[in-house]
Amino acid sequence: MIPDYYEFCNSAKIVSGSHAIEHIGYELAALGASRPLVLTNKQLLELKVATVVLDALKDTEAEVVAIYDDVPVDSSVAVVNDVARVYREKGADAIVAVGGGSVLDTAKGATIVLTHGAEDLMDYRGAESLMGRRAIAFIAIPTTAGTGSEVTSAAVIKDTERHVKMGFTSLSLLPDVAILDPRMTRGLPLRLTASTAMDALTHAVESFSCVQANPLSDCYARAAIDLIREHLPKVMAEPRDEQARLALANAAMLAGAAFSNAMVGIVHAMGHATGGVAGVPHGDAMAILLPHGMAFNLEVAGDRYGELLLGLAGAEVYASTPREERPAAAIEAVRAMMRTLHEQAGLPLTLGEAGVLPEQVPDIARAALNDGAMSMNPRQPTLDELTELLKGAL
Amino acid sequence: MARRGWRTKRAKKALTAVVYGVLGRGLVASARLDDRVRDEVRSWPDGTVVTLRIAPFGPQVSWRAASGSLEYLGGAEVASDLLVTFKSVDDAIPLLLGMKPVLGSFAEHRATVRGDLAVAMSLVRCLHIVEGYLFPDIMTRRILPHPAKRRASHLTAYVFLIFRTASLEGAAS
Ligand SMILES: [Fe+2]
């Protein structure tokens, strides 16, 4: 796929491996930093996940000047400002963020405050409007394999007082280094593993069929899908298989880089809306809605889905499926994957199972239609079409 | 050669300024004539100033939203709550003339946004509707997500746009 015009950037250095975190001292030094603030949450400390990073930092020239573990489930402006305050007070020169999407988003928000001296983060909302280089070193260590936040240029931060969600996209939000280490994800419960993997799969599939798909994002998306097909079943069978865990972490990172550049579409638009209206967790919504979104896009993105059959079902199936049957077979491959995850981990198959009520559908449809991700989808639905689509997923 | 390139650029900017004027008044008219645009504008915080600009020095066009209607602020220097900046004049022209979808320009990183992305999305939906009035179907069919369902005729909108008389409002609804 070669669009008339495209841009692609994935500037984060990827450090991936079974003891990758032990290299954090070198990575900080290479960035010219020696006084990191470690950003994480209490649960990750209790589960001894974040402590792996703290232990690794003990054996370096760097001095941890603060451990900030008060990050809530949803990143908020108040927390972002507080992190920046502690960073300044302690004279830190780097942020090491250890956590899932909310920790990484909080870190990204703090880098904006610290770089631009933001009094009110609200003034810095927008897309690609932050100018200048980031002033501080930033290392991201994801503890889930799903969001791909460690390589995306976007952050969402809530202003709980003014009740608004602020969106930021800027290449200056990309971490300098992303460290993928199986010790960060090997203890994840199977249920969460399954739904976050489906989120990553959705990033790959949607980026591959969205309006900004390009040769580079395609490479990342294909590689992500291959890794998920091959290694998700291994992790579901043997959760402590470190190679397979590392492969899923890589898949999430690759899919993150793909969608950060090529965007996501209708599945995410419906997913954001389902989360907002009915509180369905993001990964669950992705798993349920992916085949429905693909079916809706089939008439315009069928050829692209046909190509993805190779990754989704493997070379044997791809080769033995006639070209014209490949798009539908790709959707069926996603459905088959979901049925397996439903049996293995209890992932919901329908919106109804996920707790969505029929009377919530109109609100979800309206919110989805106005969601930013919808504008990147290759086919634009009407409100009626969207309502029907959601009813089909109930 | 370089001199000619510079002249072409200046001509393009002049053209942009003219289109801004038409689009600027067209959006004000649509906010009165078309309930879809009116609903979008009502969803913006009262007093919101939105601006379209060509980087770095313009030309630009701005509107202020107040109690559900829009005020055309022209090319004046204003404090914008939502600033959409096209990276170059070549990014703006195809879109302003209805030859490319506005949404596509965001997807292609041709424009940057400072401000609330939700309002930016809403503005884009408004611009699509306005372009449905301003340009013939044959053009907008390629750029609009759905064939433009007009709430007023081309002619009504055009007359409204030229004379800007509020009396047409009743006739159109
Ligand atoms: Fe996602």
Side-chain angles (χ1 to χ4, degrees), chain A residues 37-387:
Chain A
L37 174 150
V38 176
L39 188 69
T40 186
N41 65 39
K42 293 202 170 62
Q43 203 195 1
L44 288 166
L45 283 172
E46 277 161 22
L47 291 170
K48 301 260 182 278
V49 172
T51 44
V52 173
V53 178
L54 293 172
D55 288 346
L57 277 164
K58 276 181 196 147
D59 200 23
T60 66
E61 288 170 281
E63 179 197 350
V64 176
V65 293
I67 299 169
Y68 193 105
D69 63 3
D70 260 340
V71 181
V73 181
D74 278 325
S75 38
S76 81
V77 156
V79 176
V80 166
N81 286 330
D82 202 40
V83 171
R85 179 187 59 79
V86 173
Y87 183 99
R88 287 197 191 102
E89 273 176 19
K90 301 286 183 182
D93 60 10
I95 291 182
V96 174
V98 185
S102 69
V103 171
L104 296 188
D105 276 0
T106 303
K108 289 174 181 177
T111 69
I112 299 173
V113 174
L114 291 162
T115 298
H116 300 277
E119 294 282 328
D120 187 350
L121 210 49
M122 192 85 105
D123 299 336
Y124 294 83
R125 287 177 304 175
E128 298 182 51
S129 58
L130 294 172
M131 293 297 166
R133 296 179 82 89
R134 186 176 59 234
I136 65 174
F138 176 20
I139 296 182
I141 308 179
T143 57
T144 61
T147 65
S149 235
E150 65 277 14
V151 287
T152 67
S153 55
V156 176
I157 293 158
K158 267 190 184 165
D159 187 329
T160 36
E161 277 173 30
R162 284 179 278 194
H163 302 287
V164 284
K165 262 190 184 178
M166 297 184 286
F168 305 84
T169 66
S170 166
L171 293 178
S172 69
L173 297 180
L174 281 170
D176 297 300
V177 180
I179 305 182
L180 308 177
D181 188 311
R183 286 173 291 174
M184 294 294 101
T185 53
R186 69 182 169 194
L188 278 180
L190 282 184
R191 175 78 169 67
L192 194 61
T193 302
S195 74
T196 48
M198 288 307 282
D199 185 24
L201 183 72
T202 308
H203 296 156
V205 171
E206 288 214 279
S207 71
F208 198 79
S209 52
C210 272
V211 291
Q212 262 315 88
N214 61 69
L216 282 158
S217 66
D218 284 357
C219 294
Y220 282 76
R222 281 201 184 95
I225 294 172
D226 275 337
L227 287 172
I228 293 170
R229 181 199 73 247
E230 200 179 327
H231 295 277
L232 182 57
K234 289 186 194 163
V235 170
M236 297 309 285
E238 178 42 53
R240 300 194 82 81
D241 180 338
E242 297 216 345
Q243 271 308 105
R245 284 287 189 187
L246 187 62
L248 286 188
N250 273 268
M253 176 271 294
L254 290 160
F259 93 84
S260 181
N261 286 283
M263 310 296 157
V264 283
I266 190 169
V267 182
H268 270 76
M270 293 192 293
H272 295 152
T274 313
V277 174
V280 178
H282 183 69
D284 289 3
M286 294 300 101
I288 297 163
L289 294 166
L290 178 57
H292 295 276
M294 289 174 80
F296 179 77
N297 285 340
L298 198 59
E299 63 183 60
V300 292
D303 289 349
R304 299 290 281 165
Y305 293 151
E307 282 182 58
L308 287 186
L309 181 64
L310 181 58
L312 289 166
E316 299 299 323
V317 176
Y318 181 81
S320 63
T321 308
R323 176 185 275 269
E324 62 279 9
E325 290 171 23
R326 284 175 192 161
I331 300 178
E332 188 42 45
V334 172
R335 289 215 172 93
M337 204 181 278
M338 274 190 61
R339 281 193 295 271
T340 309
L341 293 175
H342 173 72
E343 282 159 24
Q344 291 173 327
L347 221 58
L349 288 172
T350 64
L351 289 177
E353 282 174 36
V356 176
L357 305 168
E359 54 267 33
Q360 289 175 312
V361 167
D363 284 345
I364 296 173
R366 222 167 294 119
L369 195 64
N370 292 345
D371 191 273
M374 192 63 91
S375 58
M376 304 300 161
N377 198 61
R379 182 181 167 202
Q380 293 301 312
T382 62
L383 186 61
D384 292 342
E385 285 169 335
L386 205 46
T387 309

Side-chain angles (χ1 to χ4, degrees), chain A residues 4-5 7 123 125-129 167 211-212 261 263 369-372 375-376 380-382 385, chain B residues 40 81 87 91 100 103-104 106-117 121 125 145-146 149:
Chain A
D4 288 344
Y5 176 90
E7 296 184 3
D123 299 336
R125 287 177 304 175
E128 298 182 51
S129 58
V211 291
Q212 262 315 88
N261 286 283
M263 310 296 157
L369 195 64
N370 292 345
D371 191 273
S375 58
M376 304 300 161
Q380 293 301 312
T382 62
E385 285 169 335
Chain B
E40 294 286 357
D81 300 291
K87 290 180 182 171
D91 296 318
K100 273 196 130 187
L103 284 172
F106 286 110
E108 293 182 353
H109 307 270
R110 293 178 190 275
T112 68
V113 179
R114 203 198 67 215
D116 189 343
L117 294 173
M121 287 291 303
R125 289 192 290 269
H146 303 289
K149 277 177 270 164

